[in-house]
Amino acid sequence: MAETIPPEERLTNLVVALMATEIGITKHQILESVSGYRQRVEAGAKPDALEKMFERDKDDLRALGIPIETIGDYADPNDLREARYRIPQAEYDLPVNITFTPAELAVLTLASSVWREGSQSADARTGLRKVQSLGIDVDEPIIGFAPRLDFASPSFSAFQEAIERDAIVSFSYLKPGETSATLRRAQPLALIDVENRWHIFAHDADANAERTFLLSRVVGDVRATGEAGSAALRADAGERGLAGLRDLLERQSAHLEVHPGSEAALRLSSRMTSTGQGFDVHYLDEAIFAEELSSYGPEVRVVSPPSLRAAVIARLQATLAAHEGEVTP
Amino acid sequence: MTTPKRPLLAPDKVKIYLALVPYLAERGQVSVADAAADFDVTPDAMRRMVEKLTVMGLPGEDGYWQLDQDLFNINWDLLDAEDIIELTNTVALRRAPRLTAREAAALLSGLRLVQSLPGIDDDGAVSALISKLSLGSSTSPADVIVAPAAADVVRATVADGIRAGKAISFTYQAPDAEATTRMVDPVKVHVTSGEWYLQGWCHLRHAMRTFHLARVSDVSVTDEPITHGADSVPELFDLSDEDQIGTIRFPADVASLLGEFLTHADQETVGRITVAHLRISDPRTLKRLAARRGGQVEVLAPTTARTTAHEWARRALEQYTDITAT
């Protein structure tokens, strides 16, 4: 029995072998010669099982972003029996004309630390390592700042993956004030953090128009529909989505009376403009703004719009009702 | 940053090998400890990975065993005697791979946030980095954008104090308390959930304190050099000093909306209802949380906190009685 070669060795050997060839090597050559497969062939493993292993390995490497090229039969491109495989050096290597200064590396190091957890945190560190491996001198690290980003939702990654694959996904979306979620079909185009909330800017497949969703209102899993969207829709999507949110903020304004010197006055101060009688404050989402205004209790009175005023009153009434009398078990 | 060292899967290890080879090739000699820290693995794991590297390499010709020059090799004596890694033969992978779309996106969104820190992008360095990363990515990364924060004089001045290593002075308005004037040795600015916090040595309290920058005004940098900059900084939301306890009740699925309130809280969930005991400096301030969540969060104890929440909502509603109820 031949020694078992761990999968990471087999995969790394495969990368090295595919990079060393200009014209590509066939599956047969790979199984016969690359360490990790070769030993299994010698030990008498079934060809079917080995071919499946090779297919899985290719998928794993492609998932790591490694460009494996398949060169098929010129006469019949769909016939992969004699296909040759290679990794084009120019597509694999971090381009040589990209260089980083020590100061830039310090900024990048700080940027890589912002994700608190999850796969984004691991991705940022792996990305940083690739840049570090260019052998740049390290500047003084930037100390005194600890910026953090949070996504607090498992669907964040699902939407990001859908953006990268230009895929149409479906998800349940619960609008404020509605009791049941509706199913939406959309091609996500960008994830945008505005006022500390993640928004999904997407092309709604049913409405055939661009829409913005709040990540926190997505209920349950994000599902693949199997339908492909259009890569062209992604062009400048982030800027377009951000501009749309800014327009919305510009359009929506509440008129408030705020007690001077109060907590409300302090927290709203950077957003308020005085109108002589009271203040105007722009807001992005009525339900979320109603939550904030309710927390200020008697420190704020909502004059308009009527819908915001009603939402705040409803919250205060529910708060009052919840705290009537003794605690009930 | 410290993260728990979870077991690495095969693709994780491949990722490390692909970056480790160019890293070692570029540096010449690196200590096991340094390499382990840079790759976020234990020194033992790093040593094992480097040793394994010597059985990897190019396929042998025509089914023959690989020759020495086909394999990666290291300076074994140096590793054994001095714990130093040196590659002596490199058969491929001399250049780092391109960033994956994911890696680029994670760094790009980090850069967008870093860009909002005062003084970091003054010379356009971050913008230049953003375009470089996009070029260095194998496929186009998803747009993950953090909207820039508006310019803010308090944040900028605090950042100036940190860079200059000088104490800052400001007016601090704690929630539901009188404003105080503080002199603080600034140590670290935390930006989390869009809120900015300063940790520093407070000359008034003679201790490390955390200040919410939204509550800071009239800030200026003094000529006083900082003296407690090297003191250890506590956890951002360290509530262990608070001796008061407030008890709240809420539907279990609301927990994710309560965030920092629940750090260090004792919680018990029965059915779909959670009861949490929170450490808090003044339980009466729970009125704000209760009103924000509009009846979903109920203050149970102490009684003064519960009646305060009731009173808070009642007084707020009084403002609306002048007009016909909606």
Side-chain angles (χ1 to χ4, degrees), chain A residues 18 30-31 60 83 88 90 109 142 144 169 207 212 220 225 242 246 250 258 264 284 295 300 308 325:
Chain A
L18 293 177
I30 290 166
L31 299 183
D60 282 350
T109 304
I142 298 168
V169 294
T212 302
T225 60
L242 191 55
R246 285 194 172 126
E250 195 50 48
V258 183
L284 207 46
S295 79
V300 165
L308 178 69

Side-chain angles (χ1 to χ4, degrees), chain A residues 51-261:
Chain A
E51 289 192 11
K52 277 199 186 117
M53 178 188 263
F54 172 66
E55 294 302 323
R56 272 200 310 273
D57 288 351
K58 261 194 312 165
D59 290 344
D60 282 350
L61 292 179
R62 283 185 172 136
L64 295 180
I66 297 168
I68 300 179
E69 193 176 77
T70 309
I71 306 162
D73 187 334
Y74 288 109
D76 180 3
N78 290 323
D79 180 4
L80 291 180
R81 280 172 303 183
E82 287 306 309
R84 306 175 84 84
Y85 300 92
R86 67 187 280 260
I87 296 172
Q89 191 90 29
E91 282 177 44
Y92 172 91
D93 286 356
L94 202 56
V96 268
N97 55 353
I98 296 185
T99 55
F100 296 85
T101 65
E104 285 177 334
L105 188 62
V107 172
L108 207 54
T109 304
L110 183 62
S112 76
S113 72
V114 309
W115 291 99
R116 197 181 302 203
E117 58 197 15
S119 59
Q120 279 75 16
S121 164
D123 287 337
R125 287 203 307 275
T126 322
L128 177 69
R129 251 173 242 144
K130 288 181 179 173
V131 174
Q132 282 172 334
S133 72
L134 296 174
I136 308 148
D137 290 330
V138 184
D139 218 1
E140 287 282 298
I142 298 168
I143 53 166
F145 293 98
R148 291 276 176 275
L149 273 181
D150 244 327
F151 53 91
S153 163
S155 49
F156 185 98
S157 299
F159 282 115
Q160 192 180 346
E161 196 182 316
I163 296 172
E164 285 161 9
R165 292 190 294 113
D166 303 315
I168 296 176
V169 294
S170 70
F171 54 91
S172 294
Y173 193 68
L174 184 62
K175 280 190 163 180
E178 291 179 1
T179 48
S180 60
T182 53
L183 193 68
R184 312 298 286 255
R185 279 170 63 249
Q187 179 191 347
L189 305 174
L191 287 156
I192 307 172
D193 181 324
V194 181
E195 297 201 329
N196 189 36
R197 283 183 181 80
W198 284 106
H199 299 76
I200 306 137
F201 181 63
H203 184 266
D204 188 313
D206 295 320
N208 192 26
E210 288 179 336
R211 294 277 187 273
T212 302
F213 302 93
L214 255 175
L215 185 66
S216 58
R217 293 191 179 136
V218 173
V219 188
D221 292 340
V222 178
R223 292 174 198 280
T225 60
E227 296 165 78
S230 155
L233 293 176
R234 270 172 71 188
D236 301 320
E239 295 308 321
R240 211 159 58 244
L242 191 55
L245 286 164
R246 285 194 172 126
D247 281 353
L248 183 63
L249 186 65
E250 195 50 48
R251 281 202 305 277
Q252 300 192 129
S253 172
H255 190 61
L256 312 173
E257 289 167 13
V258 183
H259 287 247

Side-chain angles (χ1 to χ4, degrees), chain B residues 6 32-33 95 174 196 201-202 216 225 249 259:
Chain B
R6 63 184 173 85
V32 172
R95 181 110 181 138
W196 291 51
W201 174 265
C202 178
V216 167
R249 179 162 66 186

